């Protein structure tokens, strides 16, 4: 298990580093212009229908059922795999043809605010990306087949290979002066991954012979597993689509700016909260409820003291962060201002996004998967409502604030179910005045680039360090973290 976790962590880290390089180079090459906007819209148009129909089918349906059958009834496990494989071929064919034929109406639905040039480019990009849907779905199924056999090679390589494909296509698009080549990176990466994944699972004997045993009974069992989760993908993909619609109504460049800002926030969550969440999942699984609650209550204060300063830096120093990462080449002052505005919204709720991740993982560890889905669902509904109701009033910052508000609700619901609400809100309440002092102390910081970012980070760190020295409970938490 340790080797598997290490493989996944290293693969994820490599993928994240390549993803950062991809975002930086995309920003330098195209800023928040039409090619960047078309890439974002085409990705949404490709992945929303795919994930709507298949995400829970594979994670909550196929994987646990196939794992169970593999040890008790291999013939039925083979039937499940081949039946789903055929269904995915049919679905991917329908989706691919549909997007090839109706690319422009799909773009008009996803991003009604785009001007004619951006909408035409997005439709062209979408047609190219749609070619990769069959391989995307088949590789996903093969990855879960491998996981069912306790293998993680395909899963760990996915992000790295996808980002390598996008980087290669970005280089070609720049050299050939043909931005649409950008869209080919997604399709090419998954065509290669599909071929490699199929050869890999076949070579290791994971690919089962075709079997027709118990197909109807297996469909019933799969349906019973998926039925409680049907509302989640609907709201999740609805929230994604709503965000794209709102972004396009705020301006073409906002569509690209949202993803530049989100990448910064999600990278922070991945680096800080994900390791703790995975460790907590392992540590809390199988524990008595009272013991698990006590351990989780011990995790939250340390997590908050780590992520609260980062939240302040992202909110106060959003312009400096965006300038340091992206402000070169085609990424002009307008792109900086728009991306920084969105990042401010994400930053205000970064602490909540991190806590929500850990708390949802704790629910998973307690086998409260339906409640975990409910907490995510509640957060998504709030995100959708904030985006729809406030974008005209607040502008681009709404997109970040909506995600933050949703994370607060998800964290609140999960903490209540786990019995750690009092701990969570007591420590959030303790961090708020310190964060406000840090915010005020940053007023003298330089306004631009590295000097500004270093100054903001130093101010925030100094204020929180003083709080640790002055407040005994904070000292105890920090000492426990460094031991």
């Amino acid at each position: 298990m340790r080797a598997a976790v290490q493989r996944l962590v290293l693969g994820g880290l490599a993928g994240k580093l390549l993803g950062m390089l991809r975002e930086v180079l995309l920003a330098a090459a195209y800023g928040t212009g039409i090619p960047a906007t078309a890439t974002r819209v085409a990705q949404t148009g490709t992945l929303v229908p795919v994930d709507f129909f298949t995400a829970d089918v594979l994670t909550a349906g196929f994987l646990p059922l196939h794992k169970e059958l593999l040890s008790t009834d291999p013939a039925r496990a083979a039937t499940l795999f081949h039946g789903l494989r055929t269904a995915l071929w049919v679905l991917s064919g329908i989706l691919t043809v549909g997007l090839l034929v109706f690319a422009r109406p799909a773009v008009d639905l996803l991003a009604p605010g785009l001007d004619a040039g951006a909408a035409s480019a997005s439709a062209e990009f979408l047609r190219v990306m749609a070619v990769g849907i069959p391989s995307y779905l088949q590789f996903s199924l093969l990855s879960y087949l491998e996981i069912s056999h306790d293998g993680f090679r395909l899963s760990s390589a996915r992000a790295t290979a996808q980002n390598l494909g996008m980087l290669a296509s970005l280089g070609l698009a720049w050299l050939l002066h043909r931005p649409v080549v950008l869209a080919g990176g997604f399709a090419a990466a998954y065509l290669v991954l599909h071929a490699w994944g199929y050869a890999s699972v076949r070579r290791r004997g994971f690919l089962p012979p075709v079997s027709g045993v118990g197909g109807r009974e297996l469909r019933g069992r799969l349906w019973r597993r998926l039925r409680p989760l049907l509302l989640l993908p609907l709201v999740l993909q609805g929230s994604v689509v709503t965000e794209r619609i709102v972004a396009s109504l705020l301006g073409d460049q906002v569509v690209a700016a949202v993803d530049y800002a989100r990448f910064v926030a999600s990278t922070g969550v991945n680096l800080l909260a994900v390791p703790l969440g995975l460790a907590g999942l392992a540590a809390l699984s199988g524990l008595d409820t009272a013991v698990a609650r006590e351990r989780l209550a011990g995790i939250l204060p340390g997590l908050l003291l780590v992520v609260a300063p980062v939240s302040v830096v992202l909110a106060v120093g959003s312009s400096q962060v965006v300038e340091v990462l992206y402000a070169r080449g085609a990424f002009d002052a307008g792109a900086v201002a728009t991306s920084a505005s969105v990042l401010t919204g994400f930053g205000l709720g970064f602490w909540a996004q991190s806590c929500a991740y850990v708390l949802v993982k704790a629910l998973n560890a307690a086998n409260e998967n339906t409640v975990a889905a409910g907490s995510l669902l509640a957060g998504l509904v709030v995100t959708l409502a904030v985006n729809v109701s406030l974008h005209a009033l607040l502008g681009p910052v709404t997109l970040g604030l909506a995600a933050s508000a949703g994370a607060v609700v998800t964290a609140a619901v999960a903490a209540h179910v786990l019995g750690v609400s009092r701990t969570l809100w007591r420590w959030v309440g303790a961090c708020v005045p310190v964060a406000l002092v840090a915010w005020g102390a940053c007023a003298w910081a330089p306004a631009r680039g590295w000097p500004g970012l270093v100054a903001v980070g130093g101010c925030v760190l100094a204020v929180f360090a003083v709080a640790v020295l002055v407040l005994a409970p904070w000292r105890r938490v920090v000492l426990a973290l460094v031991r």
Side-chain angles (χ1 to χ4, degrees):
M1 179 59 73
R2 178 177 295 180
V5 171
Q6 288 176 342
R7 182 186 291 272
L8 287 171
V9 169
L10 290 174
L13 180 60
K16 183 58 68 175
L17 291 173
L18 287 171
M20 180 176 291
L21 179 61
R22 179 202 68 215
E23 292 295 304
V24 168
L25 293 178
L26 180 64
Y30 299 112
T32 53
I34 286 178
T37 298
T39 299
R40 309 304 193 186
V41 173
Q43 285 175 336
T44 303
T46 301
L47 295 179
V48 162
V50 168
D51 290 342
F52 175 78
F53 286 110
T54 64
D56 288 328
V57 171
L58 294 174
T59 57
F62 170 78
L63 180 58
L65 184 54
H66 187 271
K67 182 73 173 177
E68 174 188 329
L69 292 171
L70 201 59
S71 58
T72 60
D73 195 339
R76 276 186 166 82
T79 299
L80 177 66
F81 169 75
H82 286 290
L84 188 54
R85 187 183 183 198
T86 300
L88 291 180
W89 275 120
V90 173
L91 174 64
S92 62
I94 294 171
L95 291 176
T96 300
V97 172
L99 289 175
L100 288 173
V101 175
F102 299 108
R104 183 56 187 265
V107 168
D108 291 340
L109 176 65
L110 286 171
L114 296 184
D115 64 30
S120 296
S122 298
E124 186 180 12
F125 277 47
L126 181 55
R127 293 187 186 96
V128 176
M129 282 195 185
V131 175
I133 289 177
S135 289
Y136 177 91
L137 286 175
Q138 291 298 319
F139 179 77
S140 298
L141 178 60
L142 292 171
S143 297
Y144 285 106
L145 175 68
E146 184 196 39
I147 292 172
S148 185
H149 287 272
D150 298 319
F152 299 91
R153 190 176 301 169
L154 273 62
S155 300
S156 63
R158 181 176 193 148
T160 299
Q162 179 176 315
N163 283 317
L164 284 173
M166 296 295 287
L167 283 168
S169 66
L170 176 58
L172 283 173
W174 179 255
L175 289 173
L176 300 175
H177 304 287
R178 289 279 295 163
V180 73
V181 175
L182 268 171
F186 174 86
Y190 277 100
L191 286 169
V192 173
L193 279 171
H194 180 198
W196 169 69
Y198 179 82
S200 178
V201 297
R202 184 175 184 179
R203 184 177 65 253
R204 288 177 284 165
F206 296 163
L207 200 65
V210 177
S211 171
V213 179
R216 179 176 297 179
E217 182 259 344
L218 286 172
R219 285 192 295 272
R221 292 176 67 178
L222 191 63
W223 169 249
R224 286 192 293 274
R225 287 176 179 269
L226 295 174
R227 188 168 51 194
L229 303 174
L230 289 179
L231 190 57
L232 184 59
L234 177 64
V235 178
L236 175 59
Q237 301 309 321
S239 180
V240 172
V241 170
T242 300
E243 183 186 85
R244 282 287 182 245
I245 292 173
V246 168
S248 74
L249 293 174
L250 291 170
D252 290 2
Q253 68 173 359
V254 179
V255 176
V258 173
D259 281 18
Y260 289 127
R262 177 182 286 107
F263 183 82
V264 177
S266 64
T267 298
V269 173
N270 286 336
L271 292 176
L272 297 174
V274 170
L276 187 57
L278 293 175
L281 187 62
L284 299 175
S285 295
L287 292 179
D288 176 75
T289 302
V291 176
R293 184 185 301 121
E294 182 180 351
R295 291 201 181 177
L296 185 59
I299 289 172
L300 287 175
L303 174 64
L304 277 165
L305 291 187
V306 171
V307 299
V310 179
S311 198
V312 177
V313 170
L314 292 178
V316 181
S318 58
S319 294
Q320 292 91 334
V321 171
V322 170
E323 284 181 347
V324 166
L325 284 176
Y326 300 128
R328 55 188 61 84
F331 206 89
D332 57 19
V336 170
T338 305
S339 301
S341 177
V342 179
L343 182 57
T344 296
F346 279 120
L348 287 170
F350 177 79
W351 63 269
Q353 295 162 38
S354 301
C355 289
Y357 182 89
V358 172
L359 290 166
V360 168
K361 288 301 179 185
L363 286 172
N364 296 145
N367 291 319
E368 295 284 358
N369 295 320
T370 302
V371 179
S375 68
L376 291 169
L377 182 62
L380 289 168
V381 169
V382 170
T383 298
L384 192 153
V386 172
N387 269 326
V388 171
S389 61
L390 295 180
H391 73 275
L393 178 65
L394 300 179
V397 72
T398 306
L399 296 157
L401 288 176
S404 294
V408 170
V409 171
T410 296
V413 173
H416 175 74
V417 173
L418 291 163
V420 293
S421 283
R422 183 174 298 179
T423 301
L424 174 66
W425 297 117
R426 185 173 72 248
W427 280 89
V428 169
C431 287
V432 167
V434 179
L436 290 175
V437 172
W439 192 309
C442 292
W444 65 270
R448 298 181 61 84
W450 273 111
L453 182 57
V454 171
V456 168
C459 269
V460 173
L461 186 60
V463 171
F464 273 84
V466 170
V468 169
L469 292 174
V470 171
L471 302 172
W474 288 36
R475 268 200 316 276
R476 287 193 291 269
V477 170
V478 171
L479 288 173
L481 284 175
V482 298
R483 282 173 186 165

